[in-house]
Amino acid sequence: MQKKFVSKALVSAVLAACAAMSSAQAAVIDFDGPEIDNLVSSIFAGDESFSHHGFTLTALDPFGQGAAGAIGFPDSCMVADCPLGATGNYYLGLNDGALAISHGTGLAFKLSSFDASFVAPVVASTGDVEFARIVLSGVSGGQSYQTSFLLPGQGEDNRYHFSSFASLGAFATLNFTELNISTCLIDLAGDCVADGSRQAQFALDNLNVTAVPEPATWGLMALGLVGIGAIRRRQATR
């Protein structure tokens, strides 16, 4: 009777651990919640970090421009032309700054989608003009990868709006140990350049990320399940 109780407890424990590990891997970095509300400051200089949903987010200041990022709030922008369409907080990459993302425990992770917009340094009405691309640069398996997506210009209301980027192609299959997000400006020749003029600014929200457990972790889970199977087979033969 005691053996049956122990085996049932083992089954429950392993299955619960499997479910907990599976559900804990996926997260949406949306810049909302207590972690963000309790930040000492919502403006970040280069190399300043904060934690959100198990991930470490670090503002980067490659050109030494000062403030490299900030937490944006709906209708909170006073000196920049921030985008519409956010349902809550979002991240602002300021003054040609970038955002570095890593998992707090060092796990690799995947990025499947995100929302983003261009952010103009000042309010302007220039119509539907293409200004910039958002650039994703990451390290996976010791190799560097990069991709970029066009950020739409102003809409008919002469305002910027968040766009959803849900088709990342092969980039979504990579397991990143680090990922940097920035923007580059589109020049008159149609090339994308980062020129350090404080003009490359962006807004970022709703990053769908999934941490990837190390192979050893899955191996331990597999051994646990094998052990459960062995216990059940022994019980069946009695």
Side-chain angles (χ1 to χ4, degrees):
M1 196 66 172
Q2 185 178 3
K3 289 183 178 179
K4 287 186 178 180
F5 176 78
V6 172
S7 66
K8 287 181 179 179
L10 178 60
V11 170
S12 298
V14 173
L15 291 179
C18 287
M21 188 175 72
S22 176
S23 62
Q25 301 311 305
V28 179
I29 300 176
D30 56 6
F31 307 100
D32 290 310
E35 288 177 304
I36 303 301
D37 295 338
N38 293 329
L39 287 173
V40 175
S41 174
S42 60
I43 301 176
F44 312 105
D47 297 327
E48 286 191 334
S49 299
F50 60 99
S51 297
H52 192 36
H53 296 322
F55 287 79
T56 299
L57 303 142
T58 304
L60 302 179
D61 186 12
F63 296 101
Q65 305 277 32
I71 301 298
F73 308 93
D75 301 323
S76 67
C77 284
M78 301 297 291
V79 297
D81 193 1
C82 290
L84 303 177
T87 57
N89 301 339
Y90 51 89
Y91 183 81
L92 285 167
L94 302 174
N95 300 322
D96 308 308
L99 179 67
I101 304 170
S102 61
H103 196 272
T105 63
L107 290 177
F109 62 95
K110 296 179 184 290
L111 173 68
S112 59
S113 65
F114 63 94
D115 297 340
S117 171
F118 183 67
V119 174
V122 294
V123 176
S125 298
T126 56
D128 190 12
V129 177
E130 297 173 353
F131 289 100
R133 298 183 71 87
I134 191 158
V135 181
L136 281 62
S137 305
V139 175
S140 175
Q143 300 292 320
S144 297
Y145 297 87
Q146 186 178 94
T147 189
S148 66
F149 302 91
L150 180 68
L151 291 173
Q154 293 165 302
E156 294 180 355
D157 57 356
N158 291 322
R159 296 296 304 276
Y160 296 97
H161 297 259
F162 272 100
S163 296
S164 179
F165 297 87
S167 300
L168 307 189
F171 210 75
T173 67
L174 299 173
N175 297 333
F176 294 105
T177 51
E178 58 183 85
L179 179 65
N180 291 354
I181 300 179
S182 61
T183 51
C184 59
L185 300 177
I186 299 174
D187 63 14
L188 295 177
D191 298 323
C192 211
V193 296
D195 61 3
S197 63
R198 299 178 186 263
Q199 305 298 303
Q201 304 192 123
F202 64 95
L204 191 66
D205 200 5
N206 299 324
L207 291 91
N208 283 277
V209 287
T210 304
V212 181
E214 297 175 356
T217 303
W218 288 116
L220 289 173
M221 286 310 222
L223 286 174
L225 293 173
V226 169
I228 290 173
I231 291 172
R232 285 179 169 172
R233 284 194 296 273
R234 283 198 300 269
Q235 289 177 344
T237 58
R238 292 177 182 176

